[in-house]
Amino acid sequence: MPDLSRRDTAARELMDAPDADRAALERTYDRFRLINPVVGGWRRIYRRRIRPRVLAGDVRILDIGSGGGDVTRRLARWARRDASRAVVTALDADPRATAWAERQGGPSNVRYRTGTTAELVAAGERFDVVVSNHLLHHLDSVPDLLRESEELLDPAGIAVHVDIARSPRAYALFDALTRPLQPTLLAGSFIRADGLTSIRRSYTVDELAELAPLGWSAKPATPCRALLIREGERG
């Protein structure tokens, strides 16, 4: 068990390397579609925090750091089933992720884009819902992401950033659950190695609460998750 009393900011995930093995990277994107539904909690988040806005009218949803786009596609499907014409944009700074995600297709209300939140802010774009999944621990500056999220968010909108909450329990659980899957389901991917690194790099809920500016709240979620939420008032 590594020392988890503080973030290991020197640790780097294999998939973030510019020269990461392409086959392993794409297998990692593919396996996320199986793992994120189990650990991400997005169905619950959609029902409680996003669906009321979808039902009230057409919405623009932005998924930042979307990777292979599996969360984006699920949000788009759920919104479409709720009779909404919501447009869900998958945004990732890595063109490798966008290229792979585009090949997966998805609902007609998904848009794939390569770029950054700073570029969208500069273009004056706005969204009703801004989300990210397991992005925070990758960043050098969480406050920058939150500031740009605010600038991209409609005043009545909601932002939900979900990440791992660092703890010995999170590390031990992920280690135990993925160890037997490494020779089979996870073989040829970065999932196990990067997952353990992610936990070492991630924040605790208290650390996120200290980083979050006024208007944001940090909340714990299961299993071993942290949520950063900003919610505007709807008229």
Side-chain angles (χ1 to χ4, degrees):
M1 178 73 69
D3 178 12
L4 297 168
S5 61
R6 62 183 64 188
R7 292 186 68 220
D8 185 353
T9 56
R12 291 291 182 266
E13 295 185 36
L14 299 172
M15 68 180 299
D16 289 338
D19 59 350
D21 179 83
R22 192 62 172 256
L25 182 63
E26 294 188 348
R27 188 168 178 84
T28 300
Y29 292 146
D30 181 67
R31 291 303 181 254
F32 279 150
R33 66 183 172 84
L34 304 176
I35 294 172
N36 282 330
V38 177
V39 301
W42 281 102
R43 185 58 173 161
R44 181 170 61 252
I45 293 169
Y46 176 80
R47 285 175 174 168
R48 180 179 176 185
R49 302 186 183 278
I50 300 175
R51 188 170 187 260
R53 286 175 162 76
V54 169
L55 293 175
D58 296 339
V59 298
R60 299 149 297 169
I61 301 173
L62 175 67
D63 180 11
I64 303 170
S66 52
D70 59 290
V71 171
T72 312
R73 289 187 288 274
R74 288 204 306 279
L75 291 173
R77 284 193 293 268
W78 295 333
R80 192 170 61 177
R81 289 171 189 166
D82 285 328
S84 167
R85 290 180 295 177
V87 174
V88 189
T89 299
L91 179 75
D92 203 286
D94 191 335
R96 298 173 300 179
T98 305
W100 189 88
E102 286 181 325
R103 294 201 301 272
Q104 312 315 302
S108 59
N109 54 340
V110 171
R111 306 289 183 268
Y112 297 106
R113 294 182 63 169
T114 299
T116 66
T117 48
E119 291 168 349
L120 297 191
V121 169
E125 301 210 27
R126 286 281 186 148
F127 299 87
D128 305 289
V129 179
V130 173
V131 303
S132 74
N133 181 68
H134 295 179
L135 173 65
L136 302 179
H137 67 270
H138 287 273
L139 304 177
D140 294 326
S141 175
V142 168
D144 283 350
L145 173 72
L146 302 186
R147 174 180 53 79
E148 289 164 358
S149 295
E150 289 181 31
E151 294 183 29
L152 290 169
L153 197 63
D154 184 87
I158 183 170
V160 183
H161 297 295
V162 179
D163 205 359
I164 308 157
R166 189 182 77 255
S167 71
R169 180 172 180 267
Y171 195 95
L173 279 174
F174 188 83
D175 183 29
L177 291 173
T178 57
R179 187 183 298 272
L181 298 176
Q182 182 58 38
T184 54
L185 182 67
L186 304 182
S189 78
F190 299 134
I191 294 289
R192 177 171 161 77
D194 278 0
L196 294 172
T197 300
S198 295
I199 296 168
R200 290 159 52 201
R201 282 188 57 89
S202 65
Y203 297 85
T204 66
V205 175
D206 288 344
E207 288 169 348
L208 288 174
E210 291 181 6
L211 288 172
L214 186 66
W216 291 85
S217 59
K219 301 178 182 294
T222 56
C224 303
R225 290 293 178 270
L227 277 62
L228 271 177
I229 301 171
R230 180 181 177 90
E231 188 164 10
E233 295 184 6
R234 286 173 286 169

